[in-house]
Amino acid sequence: MDLKVATLEDLPLVRDMALKFLENTEYNKHFNVEKLTAVLEELISDGGSTKIVILCEDKGMIVGIVNPFLYGTKLVATELGWWVEPEERKNGVGESLLKAFEFWANKVGCSLITMISLDDELGQYYEKKGYKLYERAYMKEI
Amino acid sequence: MTRTNAISTQNSFIAGLKTEFTGLNFPENACTETDNCVFDPTGRVSRRKGFDEEENGINTFVTTKTNKAISSFQWSNAGGDGNSEVYVLQVGNKLYFYRSSSATVASPISQQWIYTINLTDFILDGGTAPDEFECQYSEGNGYLFVFHPKLNPIYCTYSAPTITANAITIRIRDFSGVLEEIDDSVRPPTTLTAEHKYNLQNQGWTSGASWSAVSTTGFAQMSTGVQTFTVAAGLLTPTAGDLVIIKGYQNFAPGRIQIVQKGGAVVSYAGTALEINVTSAQKLQNVIFSNTVDWEIIPVNTDYITEWFGDVGNYPSNSDVWWLYKNSSDVFDPATTIDNVTVGFGPAPKGHYILNAFDQNRASVSGIASITNLTTTVRPKTGAWFAGRIWYSGVDASFPASGNMPDATWTENLYFSQIVENVKQFGRCYQTNDPTSEDRFDLLPSDGGVIRIQGAGSIYKLFSIQNGLLVFAANGIWFITGSQGIGFTANDYTIVKLSGVQNISGTSFVSVLGYPMFWNSESIYTVSPGQQGNLSVDSIGAEILSFLDEIPLSSKKFVRGDFDPLDHMVKWVFKSTEETDITSRYEFDRVLNLNIRSKAFYPWTIGTDAASPKVHDVKFVESPGGSGAPDPVFKYVSSLGTNFIFSEENQDSFVDWSSFVPVEYESFFASGYALRGKGLNKFQENYINLFLQNDAEESSFKIQGQWNYAINEGSGRWSDEQVFTIGADNFSYKPKRIKIRGHGLVCQFRVTSNSTLPFTMIGWSVFESGNKWI
């Protein structure tokens, strides 16, 4: 299966997957499609220097960004979204995307990677891949 | 002198405006002039209501409308769920989507904005901004198709609340090839030119046995020169001279990213050593790029050409079909079979390669670098969903001869997709089977393809009806359908020229019960079945040609309208004066109404003021009905500054834009010519009994007689204007007896509105007297 770093040509496909991802999360009440499109356009336009969208054909994608680690001098690559079409799961698409994301993070100088899970099953997968649970995030509407 | 008396009755104003008659043959029930009146098919004439913003409407803010094209479309089956209707509004480079099927009185269409698409996301490489050009639209299977002369066609999907837009790349088979100096049957003796090599490959000569190899040999990725790749032993015949593409991948098993692509030619192959002279290298990724690369080596297959040269001593001609030279073992073997084949003088089948229709990069598909690209940045400006496919046309572009490509044009081409079963087929305007194949070459009924209507000129509009497609072009109207009475298929169709009526644009088209009505430079036409069942093109504007003549040609190119199937009304909006720029082009100040039942035309003038909204478009918008649902009405897309609103004819105050700066308008009509004395005897109207519908609190009008064809009051033959006002009472209709002063051979009555009061008339009786003898 062929991966690629997304370009603006891929924006509709990336947005389509991002919407599916968001609609499957608690964020589905809060997102704005225009804003989302603008954000994805910015992420794609960066071309991989500090932001990246990696596509696996039309089967899945991973989106990430590099930030300085708040409490130290290291750079941390943070996964913003990781989506694999339901019918393509469990056949290596997600794993390839994660490997490519880690490879990229290393290439751009990151020594930490943050991955986000919506459930424990995914958390267990991360742990198999060498990740450790640092904290959980909660959100409240005010 | 003996006097004669007569009573005449006019009880119907059903015919509306007529301009193409003389003072002696003017038809009954018609008007010589009118503005801002409604002539309903029951015979009443009344004032139109005032224009104003829809009730509870809100603004849609746009950054600017200066020099922006404006268009709209009612997407009636958005998403294919049968319930969702979406109104699409283009302002320059943005498409705004409103879910009209969710509109209520409290929350009308302007509050139903759901999504915006930025057309600049679809600008072509080297293309121009889409802002100044209008979109055309079509729909089918729940998809919306957007056509724009500067963009690849776009298809939109709707899944509440999101609209997703994707570009369509139209692809065709290469049935042209590259122009060569030699005749088709000539076999070049020693030199294989790039052009001939391309043509042979496009005729199927690429389909020989192939080999491929993988290697993990480490090289500097961008290096060139002779490189030895360690590959598997025993590959099938990599031979010196084979052109190859070498793809370098970063491995993320099971996935991989291609990071480099090289090109070259095989130098030698022995054991596991494949020596390649690498002549080009292109980096595809900057950020994911490492030194551990997996190589994939793929030959650009010219095996049969090479083998032919080795066996025969020359190169195949453009008439040679490669599979004719297979031996009894089904192996390509020209050395033993050439004497058994009789070569014709005609060309071999072409079309192995599939090209982008508007960016025909033959070098890219064939790997032969010196073939000139045939390209344009113009794209289809019109299209239609017909026969289960999507059709595209109106690419007004040509290509001057350059390099090894002759001149070419796209203008008269129609592209039709394969019968659509999935979205990937929207752009497949080609036959599925390879026409150069030995066994699967047939054209299938469901295939896509290209049709050229030679002599059509610019194609402005495609319009599907019944089992055929109407093509409206600069030089006439054509009809495409099947020849077997079962409709169009890719392998059975006919093209008939219906008419030489010339077309000037695609904007004025209105679908009236499935048949088109449209404007051209001189009239308004319709295409409909004639008495024999054949389609006929008829001028329905023939009786108002003088009125149409006064409209600038530049305005006629941008007229737009829609049809109300409930009241059988068509309304077109247009600009009565020459445009001064693109902004003014879309500021319409007049409406032409056509009642389909009575065939009456009648115009309106929309009140304008610097501080009042400008009207840009009109669409009939229905709702699903039920309590709280708005009535189906014509919605006029309007704007004030950069705020877009939806307007309606909804003001009983009989002023336009009462929510903004109110503009009063005058309603009037002048009746046809009453020629009572057979054109010889003078007569006078002693009095007229005018019947008014008595349904308003207060109605009022002015009336005067116009004698002897006088065209203005300066003639002295217009009687004094008299004002009458009536109040509502217990009667449906109310007569008003009026004395009309003056005398002459012929008389008209001119009725004008009084201030902001309404009137509705159903007719009049006239008591006339005249000389008995000349």
Side-chain angles (χ1 to χ4, degrees), chain B residues 600-658:
Chain B
F601 282 101
Y602 47 93
W604 296 346
T605 302
I606 302 169
T608 55
D609 180 277
S612 62
K614 304 290 183 290
V615 168
H616 306 300
D617 205 342
V618 60
K619 285 284 176 294
F620 183 73
V621 178
E622 293 184 82
S623 71
S627 61
D631 291 334
V633 291
F634 282 102
K635 296 277 186 183
Y636 295 82
V637 174
S638 316
S639 73
L640 185 59
T642 53
N643 290 319
F644 272 70
I645 58 173
F646 288 89
S647 305
E648 300 173 1
E649 308 146 28
N650 59 4
Q651 288 302 304
D652 290 327
S653 59
F654 297 96
V655 294
D656 288 334
W657 314 119
S658 60

Coordinates of all heavy atoms in Angstrom, one line a residue, chain B residues 600-658:
Chain B
A600 N -49.0 35.0 -22.2 CA -48.9 36.5 -22.1 C -47.5 36.8 -21.6 O -47.1 36.3 -20.5 CB -49.9 37.0 -21.2
F601 N -46.8 37.7 -22.3 CA -45.6 38.3 -21.7 C -46.0 39.7 -21.1 O -46.8 40.4 -21.6 CB -44.6 38.7 -22.9 CG -43.9 37.5 -23.4 CD1 -44.3 36.8 -24.6 CD2 -42.8 37.0 -22.7 CE1 -43.6 35.8 -25.1 CE2 -42.1 35.9 -23.2 CZ -42.5 35.3 -24.4
Y602 N -45.3 40.0 -20.0 CA -45.5 41.3 -19.4 C -44.2 41.7 -18.6 O -43.8 40.9 -17.8 CB -46.8 41.5 -18.6 CG -47.1 40.4 -17.6 CD1 -46.7 40.5 -16.3 CD2 -47.8 39.3 -18.0 CE1 -47.0 39.5 -15.4 CE2 -48.1 38.3 -17.1 CZ -47.7 38.4 -15.8 OH -47.9 37.4 -14.8
P603 N -43.7 42.9 -18.8 CA -42.4 43.2 -18.1 C -42.7 44.0 -16.8 O -43.8 44.6 -16.7 CB -41.8 44.2 -19.2 CG -42.9 44.8 -19.9 CD -44.1 43.8 -19.8
W604 N -41.7 44.0 -16.0 CA -41.7 44.8 -14.8 C -40.4 45.6 -14.7 O -39.4 45.1 -15.2 CB -41.8 44.0 -13.5 CG -43.0 43.2 -13.3 CD1 -44.2 43.3 -14.0 CD2 -43.3 42.1 -12.4 NE1 -45.1 42.4 -13.6 CE2 -44.6 41.7 -12.6 CE3 -42.5 41.5 -11.5 CZ2 -45.1 40.6 -11.9 CZ3 -43.0 40.4 -10.7 CH2 -44.3 40.0 -10.9
T605 N -40.4 46.7 -14.0 CA -39.2 47.4 -13.7 C -39.0 47.5 -12.2 O -39.9 47.9 -11.5 CB -39.3 48.9 -14.2 OG1 -39.5 48.8 -15.7 CG2 -38.0 49.6 -14.0
I606 N -37.9 47.0 -11.7 CA -37.6 46.9 -10.3 C -37.1 48.3 -9.9 O -36.2 48.9 -10.5 CB -36.5 45.8 -10.0 CG1 -37.0 44.5 -10.5 CG2 -36.3 45.8 -8.5 CD1 -35.9 43.4 -10.5
G607 N -37.7 48.8 -8.8 CA -37.3 50.1 -8.3 C -35.8 50.1 -7.9 O -35.4 49.1 -7.2
T608 N -35.1 51.1 -8.3 CA -33.7 51.2 -7.9 C -33.4 52.5 -7.3 O -33.9 53.5 -7.6 CB -32.8 51.0 -9.2 OG1 -33.2 52.0 -10.1 CG2 -32.9 49.6 -9.8
D609 N -32.5 52.4 -6.3 CA -32.0 53.6 -5.6 C -30.6 53.2 -5.2 O -30.3 52.0 -5.0 CB -32.9 53.9 -4.4 CG -32.4 55.1 -3.7 OD1 -31.5 55.0 -2.8 OD2 -32.9 56.2 -3.9
A610 N -29.7 54.2 -5.0 CA -28.3 53.9 -4.6 C -28.3 53.1 -3.3 O -27.4 52.3 -3.1 CB -27.5 55.2 -4.5
A611 N -29.3 53.4 -2.5 CA -29.3 52.7 -1.2 C -30.2 51.5 -1.1 O -30.5 51.0 0.0 CB -29.7 53.7 -0.1
S612 N -30.7 51.1 -2.2 CA -31.6 49.9 -2.2 C -30.9 48.7 -2.8 O -29.9 48.8 -3.5 CB -32.9 50.2 -3.0 OG -32.5 50.5 -4.4
P613 N -31.3 47.5 -2.4 CA -30.7 46.3 -2.9 C -30.7 46.1 -4.4 O -31.6 46.7 -5.1 CB -31.5 45.2 -2.2 CG -32.1 45.8 -1.1 CD -32.4 47.2 -1.5
K614 N -29.7 45.4 -4.9 CA -29.7 45.1 -6.4 C -30.0 43.6 -6.5 O -29.6 42.8 -5.7 CB -28.2 45.3 -6.9 CG -27.7 46.7 -6.6 CD -28.4 47.7 -7.5 CE -27.9 49.1 -7.3 NZ -28.2 49.8 -6.0
V615 N -30.8 43.3 -7.6 CA -31.2 41.9 -7.8 C -30.2 41.3 -8.8 O -29.8 41.8 -9.8 CB -32.6 41.9 -8.5 CG1 -33.0 40.6 -9.0 CG2 -33.7 42.3 -7.4
H616 N -29.8 40.0 -8.4 CA -28.8 39.3 -9.2 C -29.3 38.0 -9.9 O -28.7 37.5 -10.8 CB -27.6 38.9 -8.3 CG -27.1 40.1 -7.6 ND1 -26.5 41.2 -8.2 CD2 -27.0 40.4 -6.2 CE1 -26.1 42.1 -7.3 NE2 -26.4 41.6 -6.1
D617 N -30.4 37.5 -9.4 CA -30.8 36.2 -9.9 C -32.2 35.9 -9.4 O -32.7 36.5 -8.5 CB -29.9 35.0 -9.5 CG -29.9 33.9 -10.4 OD1 -30.8 33.8 -11.2 OD2 -28.9 33.1 -10.4
V618 N -32.9 34.9 -10.0 CA -34.2 34.5 -9.6 C -34.3 33.0 -9.6 O -33.8 32.4 -10.6 CB -35.3 35.2 -10.4 CG1 -35.2 34.8 -11.9 CG2 -36.7 34.8 -9.9
K619 N -34.8 32.4 -8.6 CA -35.1 30.9 -8.6 C -36.4 30.7 -7.9 O -36.7 31.3 -6.9 CB -34.0 30.2 -7.9 CG -32.7 30.0 -8.7 CD -32.8 29.0 -9.8 CE -31.5 28.9 -10.6 NZ -31.3 30.2 -11.4
F620 N -37.1 29.7 -8.4 CA -38.4 29.3 -7.8 C -38.0 28.3 -6.7 O -37.4 27.2 -7.0 CB -39.3 28.7 -8.8 CG -40.7 28.3 -8.2 CD1 -41.6 29.3 -7.8 CD2 -41.0 27.0 -7.9 CE1 -42.8 29.0 -7.3 CE2 -42.2 26.6 -7.4 CZ -43.1 27.6 -7.0
V621 N -38.4 28.6 -5.5 CA -38.0 27.7 -4.3 C -39.2 27.2 -3.7 O -40.1 27.9 -3.2 CB -37.1 28.5 -3.3 CG1 -36.7 27.6 -2.1 CG2 -35.8 29.0 -4.0
E622 N -39.3 25.8 -3.6 CA -40.4 25.2 -3.0 C -39.9 24.7 -1.6 O -38.7 24.5 -1.4 CB -40.9 24.0 -3.8 CG -41.6 24.5 -5.1 CD -42.2 23.3 -5.8 OE1 -43.3 22.9 -5.5 OE2 -41.5 22.8 -6.8
S623 N -40.9 24.4 -0.8 CA -40.5 23.8 0.5 C -41.3 22.5 0.6 O -42.2 22.2 -0.2 CB -40.8 24.7 1.7 OG -42.2 24.8 1.8
P624 N -41.0 21.6 1.6 CA -41.7 20.3 1.7 C -43.2 20.5 2.1 O -43.9 19.6 2.0 CB -40.9 19.6 2.8 CG -39.7 20.3 3.0 CD -39.9 21.7 2.6
G625 N -43.6 21.7 2.5 CA -44.9 22.0 2.9 C -45.1 21.7 4.4 O -44.2 21.5 5.1
G626 N -46.4 21.7 4.8 CA -46.7 21.5 6.2 C -46.7 22.8 7.0 O -46.4 23.9 6.4
S627 N -47.2 22.7 8.2 CA -47.4 23.9 9.0 C -46.0 24.6 9.2 O -45.0 23.9 9.5 CB -48.1 23.6 10.3 OG -47.3 22.8 11.1
G628 N -46.0 25.9 9.1 CA -44.7 26.6 9.4 C -43.8 26.7 8.2 O -42.9 27.4 8.2
A629 N -44.2 25.9 7.1 CA -43.3 26.0 5.9 C -43.7 27.2 5.1 O -44.9 27.6 5.0 CB -43.5 24.7 5.1
P630 N -42.8 27.8 4.5 CA -43.1 29.0 3.6 C -43.7 28.6 2.3 O -43.6 27.4 1.9 CB -41.7 29.6 3.4 CG -40.7 28.5 3.5 CD -41.3 27.5 4.5
D631 N -44.5 29.5 1.8 CA -45.1 29.2 0.5 C -44.0 29.1 -0.6 O -43.0 29.8 -0.5 CB -46.1 30.4 0.1 CG -47.3 30.4 1.0 OD1 -47.6 29.4 1.5 OD2 -47.9 31.5 1.1
P632 N -44.3 28.3 -1.6 CA -43.3 28.2 -2.7 C -43.4 29.6 -3.5 O -44.5 30.0 -3.8 CB -43.8 27.1 -3.6 CG -45.2 26.9 -3.2 CD -45.4 27.3 -1.8
V633 N -42.3 30.2 -3.6 CA -42.2 31.5 -4.3 C -40.9 31.6 -5.1 O -40.0 30.9 -5.0 CB -42.2 32.7 -3.3 CG1 -43.6 32.8 -2.6 CG2 -41.1 32.6 -2.3
F634 N -40.9 32.6 -6.0 CA -39.7 33.0 -6.6 C -38.9 33.8 -5.6 O -39.3 34.8 -5.0 CB -40.0 34.0 -7.8 CG -40.5 33.2 -9.0 CD1 -41.8 33.2 -9.4 CD2 -39.6 32.5 -9.9 CE1 -42.2 32.5 -10.5 CE2 -40.0 31.9 -11.0 CZ -41.3 31.8 -11.3
K635 N -37.6 33.4 -5.5 CA -36.7 34.1 -4.6 C -35.7 34.8 -5.5 O -35.1 34.2 -6.4 CB -35.9 33.1 -3.7 CG -36.8 32.3 -2.7 CD -37.0 33.1 -1.5 CE -37.8 32.3 -0.4 NZ -38.1 33.0 0.8
Y636 N -35.5 36.1 -5.2 CA -34.6 36.9 -6.0 C -33.3 37.1 -5.1 O -33.4 37.7 -4.1 CB -35.2 38.3 -6.3 CG -36.4 38.2 -7.2 CD1 -37.7 37.9 -6.7 CD2 -36.3 38.4 -8.6 CE1 -38.8 37.8 -7.5 CE2 -37.4 38.3 -9.4 CZ -38.7 38.0 -8.9 OH -39.8 37.9 -9.7
V637 N -32.2 36.5 -5.6 CA -31.0 36.8 -4.9 C -30.6 38.3 -5.1 O -30.6 38.7 -6.2 CB -29.8 35.9 -5.5 CG1 -28.5 36.3 -4.9 CG2 -30.2 34.5 -5.2
S638 N -30.4 38.9 -4.0 CA -30.2 40.4 -4.1 C -29.0 40.7 -3.1 O -28.6 39.9 -2.3 CB -31.4 41.1 -3.6 OG -32.6 40.6 -4.2
S639 N -28.5 41.9 -3.2 CA -27.5 42.3 -2.3 C -27.5 43.8 -2.1 O -27.9 44.6 -3.0 CB -26.1 41.9 -2.8 OG -25.7 42.7 -3.9
L640 N -27.1 44.2 -0.9 CA -26.9 45.6 -0.6 C -25.5 45.7 -0.1 O -25.1 45.1 0.9 CB -27.9 46.1 0.4 CG -27.8 47.6 0.8 CD1 -28.1 48.4 -0.5 CD2 -28.8 47.9 1.9
G641 N -24.6 46.3 -0.9 CA -23.2 46.3 -0.5 C -22.7 44.9 -0.6 O -22.8 44.2 -1.6
T642 N -22.1 44.4 0.5 CA -21.5 43.0 0.5 C -22.5 42.1 1.3 O -22.1 41.0 1.6 CB -20.1 43.0 1.2 OG1 -20.2 43.7 2.4 CG2 -19.1 43.7 0.3
N643 N -23.7 42.5 1.6 CA -24.6 41.7 2.3 C -25.6 41.1 1.2 O -26.3 41.8 0.6 CB -25.4 42.4 3.3 CG -24.5 42.8 4.5 OD1 -23.7 41.9 4.9 ND2 -24.6 44.0 5.0
F644 N -25.6 39.8 1.1 CA -26.6 39.1 0.2 C -27.8 38.7 1.0 O -27.8 38.2 2.1 CB -25.9 37.9 -0.4 CG -25.1 38.3 -1.7 CD1 -24.0 39.0 -1.6 CD2 -25.6 37.9 -2.9 CE1 -23.3 39.4 -2.7 CE2 -24.9 38.3 -4.1 CZ -23.8 39.0 -4.0
I645 N -29.0 38.9 0.3 CA -30.3 38.6 0.9 C -31.1 37.9 -0.1 O -30.8 37.8 -1.3 CB -31.0 39.9 1.4 CG1 -31.2 40.8 0.2 CG2 -30.3 40.5 2.5 CD1 -32.1 42.0 0.5
F646 N -32.2 37.3 0.3 CA -33.2 36.7 -0.6 C -34.4 37.6 -0.6 O -35.0 37.9 0.5 CB -33.6 35.3 -0.2 CG -32.5 34.3 -0.4 CD1 -31.5 34.1 0.6 CD2 -32.4 33.6 -1.6 CE1 -30.5 33.2 0.4 CE2 -31.4 32.7 -1.8 CZ -30.4 32.5 -0.9
S647 N -34.9 38.1 -1.7 CA -36.0 39.0 -1.8 C -37.2 38.3 -2.5 O -37.0 37.2 -3.1 CB -35.7 40.2 -2.7 OG -34.5 40.8 -2.1
E648 N -38.4 38.8 -2.3 CA -39.6 38.3 -2.9 C -40.5 39.4 -3.3 O -40.2 40.6 -3.0 CB -40.4 37.5 -1.8 CG -39.6 36.3 -1.2 CD -40.4 35.7 -0.1 OE1 -41.5 36.2 0.3 OE2 -39.9 34.8 0.5
E649 N -41.5 39.1 -4.1 CA -42.6 40.1 -4.4 C -43.6 39.9 -3.3 O -44.5 39.2 -3.4 CB -43.2 39.7 -5.7 CG -42.3 39.5 -6.9 CD -42.8 38.5 -7.9 OE1 -44.0 38.3 -8.0 OE2 -42.0 37.8 -8.5
N650 N -43.4 40.7 -2.2 CA -44.2 40.4 -1.0 C -44.8 41.6 -0.4 O -45.4 41.6 0.7 CB -43.3 39.6 0.0 CG -42.1 40.4 0.4 OD1 -41.9 41.6 0.0 ND2 -41.3 39.8 1.3
Q651 N -44.6 42.8 -1.0 CA -45.1 44.0 -0.4 C -46.4 44.5 -0.9 O -46.5 45.0 -2.1 CB -44.0 45.1 -0.5 CG -42.8 44.9 0.3 CD -43.1 44.8 1.8 OE1 -43.7 45.7 2.3 NE2 -42.7 43.6 2.4
D652 N -47.4 44.5 -0.1 CA -48.7 45.1 -0.4 C -48.7 46.6 -0.4 O -49.8 47.2 -0.7 CB -49.8 44.5 0.5 CG -50.1 43.0 0.2 OD1 -49.9 42.6 -0.9 OD2 -50.3 42.3 1.2
S653 N -47.6 47.2 0.1 CA -47.6 48.6 0.2 C -47.3 49.2 -1.2 O -47.3 50.4 -1.4 CB -46.5 49.0 1.1 OG -45.2 48.5 0.7
F654 N -47.0 48.3 -2.2 CA -46.7 48.8 -3.6 C -45.6 49.8 -3.7 O -45.6 50.7 -4.4 CB -48.0 49.3 -4.2 CG -49.0 48.2 -4.3 CD1 -50.0 48.0 -3.4 CD2 -49.0 47.3 -5.4 CE1 -50.9 47.0 -3.4 CE2 -49.9 46.2 -5.4 CZ -50.9 46.1 -4.5
V655 N -44.6 49.6 -2.9 CA -43.3 50.2 -3.0 C -42.3 49.1 -3.0 O -42.5 48.0 -2.4 CB -43.0 51.2 -2.0 CG1 -43.9 52.4 -2.0 CG2 -43.0 50.6 -0.6
D656 N -41.1 49.3 -3.7 CA -40.0 48.3 -3.6 C -39.1 48.7 -2.5 O -38.9 49.9 -2.2 CB -39.2 48.3 -4.9 CG -40.0 47.7 -6.1 OD1 -40.9 46.8 -5.8 OD2 -39.8 48.0 -7.2
W657 N -38.6 47.7 -1.8 CA -37.5 47.8 -0.8 C -38.0 48.6 0.4 O -37.3 49.5 0.8 CB -36.2 48.4 -1.4 CG -35.9 47.7 -2.7 CD1 -35.8 48.3 -3.9 CD2 -35.6 46.3 -2.9 NE1 -35.4 47.4 -4.9 CE2 -35.3 46.2 -4.3 CE3 -35.5 45.2 -2.1 CZ2 -35.0 44.9 -4.9 CZ3 -35.2 44.0 -2.7 CH2 -34.9 43.9 -4.0
S658 N -39.2 48.3 0.9 CA -39.7 49.1 2.0 C -38.9 48.9 3.3 O -38.9 49.7 4.2 CB -41.2 48.8 2.2 OG -41.3 47.4 2.5

